[in-house]
Amino acid sequence: MGSSGINAEYMGSSGINAEYMGGRQIFTVAPHAGVAATGFLPDCRTISNIARKEAANYKDYYARDIPGHVLADRIALYVSQRTETFWYRVFGASTVLATYDEKGPRLFMVDPAGETYQYYAVAVGKGRAQAKVKLEKLDLAAMTCRQACVEISKIMHGVHDEVKDKPFELNLTWICEESKWQHRRVPDEIAAAADADGKKAADGSDSDDDDDDDDEE
């Protein structure tokens, strides 16, 4: 499948991006690249616009799509500049970049300090610690992107606290063979089925926890 992960108010990916809704935070910045961000929404949009501009400029100058690592480095440069001068406000957003180039599907994360790293799977935002633990248990290399959609949905619903957290709508995008290696929204029927499976798994987990509490009493 390539890379995968979870992104947004909870948690991004070269295989799949998932988003917690509080405003749409997954952006297509080039046919072969998508950005998912969490944090201050205007900053998320600003960073996506920067990525879109850099991708377009590279395409105009070199007549080829910008490689994933080059785009990640250019985004990181803009973000890091905000930390080096007192007259700029630091970006309050973490960004996950999913791309497909001659090296295949690749995943990068740019943090608010302007540091960028390549990942196989990554989670950012609220709930990232729990999500990372769950991601590490998945054998993503053996999964199709459709299967990964279900697993990511389970993680999203599993880390969501219905009492403390806002209601959310699951949004998924991917770059895979089914999307012809372009950044596209996951078809509604696939996303809806994954969402339903995630809710079912979370409800089952909650029931098990309640049973355990009853047994202890």
Side-chain angles (χ1 to χ4, degrees):
M1 184 190 80
S3 325
S4 185
I6 302 182
N7 174 67
E9 202 48 46
Y10 278 115
M11 300 143 303
S13 103
S14 226
I16 300 173
N17 283 324
E19 174 188 54
Y20 177 94
M21 290 300 292
R24 205 165 293 281
Q25 290 168 271
I26 300 180
F27 311 91
T28 296
V29 298
H32 71 296
V35 165
T38 180
F40 190 43
L41 185 55
D43 287 354
C44 297
R45 290 173 175 162
T46 297
I47 293 172
S48 71
N49 288 334
I50 289 169
R52 190 174 292 113
K53 180 180 177 181
E54 288 295 332
N57 288 345
Y58 190 97
K59 180 79 170 182
D60 289 342
Y61 192 83
Y62 294 103
R64 61 190 293 263
D65 291 332
I66 187 170
H69 68 282
V70 175
L71 183 54
D73 287 343
R74 293 189 178 186
I75 295 172
L77 179 61
Y78 273 94
V79 175
S80 66
Q81 286 176 340
R82 291 297 190 101
T83 70
E84 297 168 359
T85 53
F86 68 86
W87 56 83
Y88 280 132
R89 177 180 60 80
V90 175
F91 280 122
S94 293
T95 306
V96 177
L97 171 67
T99 69
Y100 183 85
D101 54 33
E102 65 273 7
K103 293 186 178 181
R106 294 200 285 172
L107 176 68
F108 304 86
M109 192 270 284
V110 180
D111 66 20
E115 297 286 339
T116 181
Y117 301 97
Q118 184 173 348
Y119 292 88
Y120 194 79
V122 68
V124 298
K126 185 178 180 182
R128 61 186 178 276
Q130 291 175 275
K132 285 180 179 178
V133 171
K134 294 176 181 291
L135 283 171
E136 289 171 357
K137 295 179 180 179
L138 298 179
D139 185 7
L140 294 170
M143 292 184 187
T144 65
C145 277
R146 287 186 180 228
Q147 292 169 332
C149 285
V150 174
E151 296 303 322
I152 287 177
S153 175
K154 290 179 181 179
I155 295 174
M156 293 287 282
H157 285 285
V159 302
H160 179 256
D161 189 323
E162 293 186 356
V163 176
K164 298 179 180 179
D165 299 326
K166 299 177 183 178
F168 77 93
E169 175 188 341
L170 182 69
N171 283 269
L172 299 167
T173 63
W174 61 12
I175 300 176
C176 61
E177 188 173 1
E178 286 196 60
S179 69
K180 298 181 180 179
W181 304 112
Q182 295 188 338
H183 184 247
R184 292 284 185 268
R185 290 183 62 84
V186 173
D188 291 342
E189 63 275 13
I190 298 175
D195 193 28
D197 287 342
K199 290 178 181 177
K200 183 177 180 181
D203 291 342
S205 177
D206 290 341
S207 298
D208 291 341
D209 291 341
D210 292 340
D211 291 341
D212 290 342
D213 292 340
D214 293 339
D215 292 340
E216 291 177 2
E217 293 176 1

